[in-house]
Amino acid sequence: MTIQNPDITHDLESVQLEPAQQVELNTLLNECHEYLDSCDDELITKAFKLAYVSHRGIVRASGEPYYLHPLEVARIVVKEIGMDDVSVAAALLHDTVEDTEVDLKDVRAEFGSTVAHLIDGMTKISGVFKSKGVKQAETFMKLLLSMAEDLRVVLIKFADRLHNMRTIQHLPRKKQLSIANETMELFAPLAHRFGIYNIKSELEDLSFKTMDPTGYKFIARKLREKKDAREAFIGKFLEPVEEQLRASGFRFTIRGRPKHIYSIYRKMTRQQKPFEEIYDLFAIRIILREPHTKEDCWRVYSIITDSYTPIPERFRDFISVPKANGYQSLHTTVISRTGRKVEIQIRTEKMDEIAERGFAAHWRYKEGPAKEQDINRFVSWVRDVLDNPRPEAATEFVEDFQLNLYTDEIYVFSPKGELKTLPKGATPIDFAFEIHSEVGERALAAKVNGKIVPLRQRLKSGDQVEIITGKQINLNPDWVNDVVTHKARSRLRQYIKQKERKVSDEGRELWNKRADRAGIEISDQELAKIATRLRYSSLQMLFFDIGSGVYDVNKLLKAVKSYMSKGRVDEAEAKPDEHESPATDHYKIAYDINNKQEGSPGLILNGELTDVRFSFARCCNPIPGDDVVGFISREGDIKIHRVSCKNTRHLIKTDGERIVDVSWARNTGSQFMAAIRIVGEDRVGLVSDISSLISKNLKTNMKSINVTSDSGMFEGTLIIMVDNIGHLEKVIARLQKVDGIKEVYRYE
Ligand code: MN
């Protein structure tokens, strides 16, 4: 890959081409003149010469000289995309900087900064594709970023990929498959996005042909077989229409042959229908030649519906309201004489070209400022999407872009922008395990796009996910039903097993003690038989139920005694009470036992009830109705403080990132401790008045009362149990009316 004379770029004029190459150059120049508004012949000639000499001595996998590849890419750029001469030059040189000793400085000096800029963009893109382990969506993001810099970089890349796909048969099979797959997943949707349907369709067909040659050949053969019947039908169907159109002075072209094999295949697999049914749903395209205008499209529509009945709900007017990518056309579906539904698309030549080539086609029809404006509008649209701070917009875009091609996977990002591919339906728990098993085990809450969400919430493509972890393991066995990744699920199962083991060990101990006391000796084998009679899947499961209190150890004792004396178990008597499916629901019971003391009322995190572990701060004893915030403690659970708490203000300053948004669940059904401070004049019977008011009149449970009196003044602290803030306020209001009491206030 060396260029003999590195100074070659300074001396391109003197390079003499062989007659064969001269012919190739002339062909390219002729095509440029035919397809482009203007063309700098000298620029193209120089670029051709540099491509030729810089790749000299190098051959492609096909055995052809390498320079033929950039030449073919340049021809696609002219003929099939219709770009400008600068793009043609850049296409000719697109592999030079990367593969030869020509560097960007040489290119800039000889061809100017625009060509150099385009080539630089191309080189960067291919760097992205070559780096190993690069994930597809990340590649896509980078591609978009470079695209926003200069749209032409991506269009040349399409041309490059198209030529590589057209010549893919020369590569080793493994390479073929990976390139075809990447083309299908990345380039084809992107080409669709650009509205370049002809290239999109060919890329899909070539990829499909590579990945599934049998399927491809099957459909291609069927299409050939059906060709005559189809043409006969179309001919007959169009006869009255064509006649009318000609009589009205229309000049038009009709297309009705489906050439896109992959789209037929996709419909067959998606709709689960045989070839024949898909094939029947075809569209006839009537293209009005220049100088027909959009008004003429409506006239054609009216002529067609004179002959055939249209289905009104299938009518689409993309002329008055073009699609985002510039697509314009009238669509209507009519019923043929034989009762067949036929879709007809009516458009002008110009609209057809835009439909086939998308934005690239605009370049041909617009000049100067209008052309510039058009490109600018597109580029700014892409930038907008990329820069948009609204996370939904990026998500919508990604979803839109994916076009159901990636329905099985989602792409999410870490706060540092690292990309993770997850199965559809994945939750932050899956994401956490994907990062590291320890992160998964200690996950407490998740922030998605900056907002706290429940760990069980499903993620969407484009989400940025941050996991908040605690110090301790915080696994919840119920998650096993929410996770979709193998990693998360297997760890949770293991955790459940461990918990079950612990409980069943306790159960065994209980049994051993009971058996000792009763003087019974029985082997595990015998016990296992009894467990089976009791419809437990194993002895361990029986011990588990004993350990978790579901099955009374005395019942087992009875069963063992009857087994030992009568050789059978009286099942009706010994059967556990609720024992439908002992093997499945155990972990829930175990979990409840272990979490009895914790967080009984349920915590609403960011609007959703969660089962995150939490406790109430002792410093301010919040009760339902208080304004509260949560802090993720160093131990890993969430501490609830009142917003007005002194410690809250301090924590906001020092540990602001540990704050989470919490609120109260309605109807908690729990009681909360509240402290009340009372100041007043001491008198005989005051304490008993207070306590009887609280417990009898207000039916409130008083935990303690502490009073000190000094020179006629009384000061006391009451600890009472309340349902919520309203309850507390009622107590305070009633206490204020008690004779002699001066001040009553909530005390922290
Ligand atoms: Mn190339």
Side-chain angles (χ1 to χ4, degrees):
M1 296 219 194
T2 55
I3 170 166
Q4 305 305 316
N5 173 9
D7 288 336
I8 199 105
T9 47
H10 304 299
D11 203 14
L12 282 172
E13 257 105 294
S14 68
V15 172
Q16 286 300 309
L17 294 173
E18 302 290 318
Q21 281 74 53
Q22 193 60 56
V23 169
E24 286 156 358
L25 172 61
N26 290 343
T27 308
L28 177 65
L29 286 170
N30 288 340
E31 285 168 346
C32 286
H33 291 167
E34 185 187 339
Y35 287 93
L36 307 181
D37 304 327
S38 62
C39 174
D40 182 346
D41 285 10
E42 201 195 322
L43 178 79
I44 307 268
T45 305
K46 268 199 300 188
F48 180 88
K49 284 181 174 175
L50 182 57
Y52 178 61
V53 292
S54 66
H55 293 293
R56 191 150 50 192
I58 303 171
V59 291
R60 297 193 88 210
S62 60
E64 286 183 322
Y66 195 90
Y67 81 95
L68 289 174
H69 164 65
L71 173 62
E72 287 306 320
V73 174
R75 294 182 68 194
I76 293 169
V77 163
V78 185
K79 289 199 300 179
E80 295 177 51
I81 309 183
M83 292 161 74
D84 56 357
D85 51 0
V86 173
S87 306
V88 176
L92 283 167
L93 299 172
H94 79 269
D95 281 333
T96 49
V97 171
E98 203 185 346
D99 293 347
T100 75
E101 286 187 5
V102 175
D103 70 16
L104 214 53
K105 262 194 284 167
D106 302 329
V107 173
R108 191 175 294 116
E110 198 64 28
F111 298 91
S113 60
T114 310
V115 174
H117 181 71
L118 292 177
I119 291 170
D120 190 32
M122 288 288 291
T123 311
K124 277 187 191 141
I125 291 186
S126 70
V128 169
F129 280 102
K130 272 182 190 165
S131 66
K132 288 266 180 312
V134 124
K135 290 270 166 50
Q136 305 241 315
E138 194 179 4
T139 312
F140 153 68
M141 290 290 180
K142 287 182 178 159
L143 196 65
L144 280 182
L145 282 168
S146 66
M147 174 170 89
E149 266 180 53
D150 193 322
L151 176 65
R152 289 174 293 188
V153 170
V154 185
L155 294 175
I156 300 168
K157 188 71 199 174
F158 283 141
D160 183 33
R161 176 56 57 124
L162 184 56
H163 186 246
N164 286 334
M165 284 305 296
R166 283 176 183 171
T167 53
I168 198 169
Q169 70 274 17
H170 302 291
L171 295 177
R173 182 75 187 140
K174 207 178 135 192
K175 234 178 159 184
Q176 283 184 20
L177 289 175
S178 88
I179 291 174
N181 187 52
E182 186 185 71
T183 303
M184 192 69 107
E185 291 196 339
L186 194 69
F187 283 86
L190 202 54
H192 179 96
R193 199 66 227 188
F194 274 72
I196 316 171
Y197 293 110
N198 55 345
I199 288 185
K200 178 228 174 192
S201 306
E202 191 177 346
L203 286 175
E204 280 182 345
D205 277 359
L206 291 168
S207 303
F208 178 49
K209 192 178 177 181
T210 306
M211 295 193 281
D212 182 0
T214 318
Y216 181 89
K217 276 180 208 148
F218 169 81
I219 295 171
R221 197 191 68 228
K222 285 268 192 185
L223 279 177
R224 273 197 307 276
E225 285 168 8
K226 294 269 176 181
K227 196 173 164 236
D228 291 347
R230 174 190 201 91
E231 279 170 3
F233 171 79
I234 292 175
K236 203 154 185 228
F237 174 83
L238 283 174
E239 220 170 275
V241 176
E242 280 187 272
E243 208 170 286
Q244 267 302 309
L245 287 176
R246 273 198 208 93
S248 312
F250 279 101
R251 292 179 60 233
F252 57 91
T253 312
I254 286 177
R255 265 187 249 144
R257 198 169 59 88
K259 39 185 182 161
H260 191 191
I261 289 176
Y262 180 66
S263 74
I264 295 174
Y265 169 78
R266 205 169 43 199
K267 281 182 191 146
M268 282 168 64
T269 49
R270 209 173 280 167
Q271 299 171 16
Q272 295 285 314
K273 283 180 179 164
F275 172 84
E276 280 69 20
E277 270 176 60
I278 299 298
Y279 172 83
D280 282 348
L281 304 164
F282 57 83
I284 291 172
R285 195 174 295 164
I286 299 176
I287 300 152
L288 300 179
R289 296 213 196 109
E290 298 277 318
H292 283 305
T293 59
K294 67 175 182 184
E295 285 75 23
D296 296 322
C297 294
W298 290 99
R299 286 176 57 211
V300 171
Y301 171 75
S302 125
I303 287 169
I304 291 166
T305 51
D306 281 346
S307 302
Y308 297 106
T309 311
I311 304 170
E313 54 270 25
R314 298 283 297 271
F315 177 75
R316 296 280 181 281
D317 173 13
F318 296 115
I319 289 183
S320 312
V321 188
K323 288 191 192 176
N325 57 22
Y327 178 87
Q328 285 188 299
S329 191
L330 282 187
H331 292 189
T332 180
T333 300
V334 299
I335 315 251
S336 80
R337 303 262 148 80
T338 50
R340 225 161 124 174
K341 285 178 195 162
V342 182
E343 186 184 329
I344 300 173
Q345 302 172 349
I346 309 158
R347 52 175 88 146
T348 64
E349 236 175 353
K350 198 162 127 184
M351 293 174 193
D352 190 54
E353 181 151 8
I354 289 168
E356 295 280 310
R357 293 186 180 180
F359 273 86
H362 284 285
W363 296 16
R364 291 194 57 195
Y365 290 103
K366 287 190 179 150
E367 294 289 332
K371 181 170 175 171
E372 201 84 329
Q373 205 186 4
D374 218 47
I375 296 167
N376 286 341
R377 203 183 310 134
F378 181 70
V379 169
S380 76
W381 171 71
V382 174
R383 274 229 178 84
D384 218 42
V385 171
L386 290 169
D387 297 344
N388 205 313
R390 281 193 315 134
E392 320 83 83
T395 311
E396 279 162 21
F397 180 73
V398 171
E399 276 171 3
D400 200 12
F401 170 80
Q402 286 168 342
L403 296 167
N404 302 325
L405 281 172
Y406 310 127
T407 45
D408 302 339
E409 284 184 336
I410 59 165
Y411 303 97
V412 296
F413 298 89
S414 76
K416 285 180 188 156
E418 198 191 333
L419 181 107
K420 295 278 171 205
T421 309
L422 292 168
K424 198 181 175 184
T427 61
I429 310 160
D430 293 294
F431 177 84
F433 275 102
E434 205 57 35
I435 292 174
H436 197 279
S437 54
E438 241 175 60
V439 177
E441 285 165 1
R442 289 165 196 208
L444 281 173
K447 272 188 183 175
V448 172
N449 304 322
K451 268 168 68 183
I452 293 272
V453 301
L455 282 168
R456 299 168 164 201
Q457 179 170 303
R458 305 254 173 250
L459 295 170
K460 296 191 302 293
S461 260
D463 278 348
Q464 189 171 54
V465 189
E466 184 184 346
I467 301 295
I468 299 160
T469 55
K471 260 190 176 174
Q472 297 160 342
I473 289 184
N474 185 50
L475 291 173
N476 177 344
D478 287 347
W479 290 345
V480 80
N481 300 315
D482 300 310
V483 298
V484 294
T485 53
H486 172 71
K487 231 186 242 175
R489 192 166 283 158
S490 67
R491 178 63 184 98
L492 282 165
R493 289 215 177 105
Q494 185 199 349
Y495 179 71
I496 291 164
K497 278 255 157 62
Q498 280 171 359
K499 284 215 149 192
E500 285 176 352
R501 169 139 317 186
K502 212 176 141 218
V503 175
S504 63
D505 283 353
E506 285 164 13
R508 178 185 279 273
E509 215 163 286
L510 269 172
W511 162 249
N512 285 346
K513 275 187 194 151
R514 191 72 195 85
D516 269 0
R517 259 196 291 150
I520 285 178
E521 266 184 56
I522 183 166
S523 70
D524 271 8
Q525 284 97 317
E526 297 294 295
L527 263 183
K529 277 184 203 162
I530 296 170
T532 312
R533 304 248 167 116
L534 295 171
R535 296 197 202 125
Y536 279 100
S537 59
S538 66
L539 182 56
Q540 200 189 326
M541 282 301 173
L542 171 62
F543 283 143
F544 179 90
D545 265 9
I546 292 171
S548 59
V550 166
Y551 187 66
D552 188 349
V553 70
N554 290 314
K555 273 192 175 178
L556 178 60
L557 186 69
K558 261 192 197 162
V560 167
K561 278 181 178 164
S562 104
Y563 175 81
M564 286 169 87
S565 60
K566 296 181 243 168
R568 64 180 178 85
V569 174
D570 186 353
E571 283 175 33
E573 211 173 287
K575 221 168 66 184
D577 303 328
E578 288 170 72
H579 191 38
E580 297 266 297
S581 52
T584 51
D585 283 315
H586 282 163
Y587 64 84
K588 281 187 184 155
I589 298 158
Y591 183 63
D592 289 344
I593 289 167
N594 293 326
N595 288 279
K596 246 176 198 158
Q597 336 60 327
E598 288 165 342
S600 38
L603 182 69
I604 293 180
L605 254 184
N606 220 45
E608 287 206 45
L609 196 65
T610 66
D611 46 14
V612 174
R613 288 195 310 176
F614 68 96
S615 58
F616 296 104
R618 295 245 167 82
C619 50
C620 55
N621 284 318
I623 59 180
D626 280 334
D627 284 330
V628 286
V629 287
F631 284 95
I632 296 174
S633 75
R634 299 203 193 285
E635 288 73 41
D637 61 350
I638 293 181
K639 270 250 147 59
I640 312 295
H641 287 260
R642 284 160 63 186
V643 175
S644 58
C645 173
K646 272 185 246 113
N647 291 331
T648 302
R649 269 168 267 152
H650 177 70
L651 283 165
I652 287 172
K653 262 185 248 156
T654 56
D655 287 289
E657 77 284 352
R658 292 187 161 258
I659 294 181
V660 292
D661 180 18
V662 298
S663 57
W664 299 97
R666 239 177 267 240
N667 302 326
T668 57
S670 300
Q671 287 218 311
F672 297 80
M673 207 156 64
I676 298 172
R677 194 97 174 121
I678 300 170
V679 183
E681 284 169 58
D682 197 12
R683 64 170 168 86
V684 178
L686 183 60
V687 171
S688 86
D689 281 0
I690 290 171
S691 53
S692 85
L693 171 73
I694 289 173
S695 48
K696 285 193 190 126
N697 295 12
L698 293 165
K699 306 251 184 297
T700 300
N701 187 10
M702 189 161 70
K703 288 209 81 156
S704 72
I705 176 162
N706 256 306
V707 277
T708 53
S709 71
D710 184 25
S711 54
M713 280 304 288
F714 163 100
E715 260 188 57
T717 308
L718 303 172
I719 310 281
I720 58 170
M721 300 305 288
V722 295
D723 301 329
N724 52 42
I725 194 88
H727 185 182
L728 176 64
E729 275 164 4
K730 195 168 144 198
V731 172
I732 290 176
R734 289 297 295 272
L735 282 171
Q736 272 166 341
K737 288 180 186 153
V738 173
D739 202 22
I741 289 182
K742 301 273 177 215
E743 267 179 65
V744 184
Y745 54 91
R746 186 172 173 191
Y747 181 64
E748 286 171 25

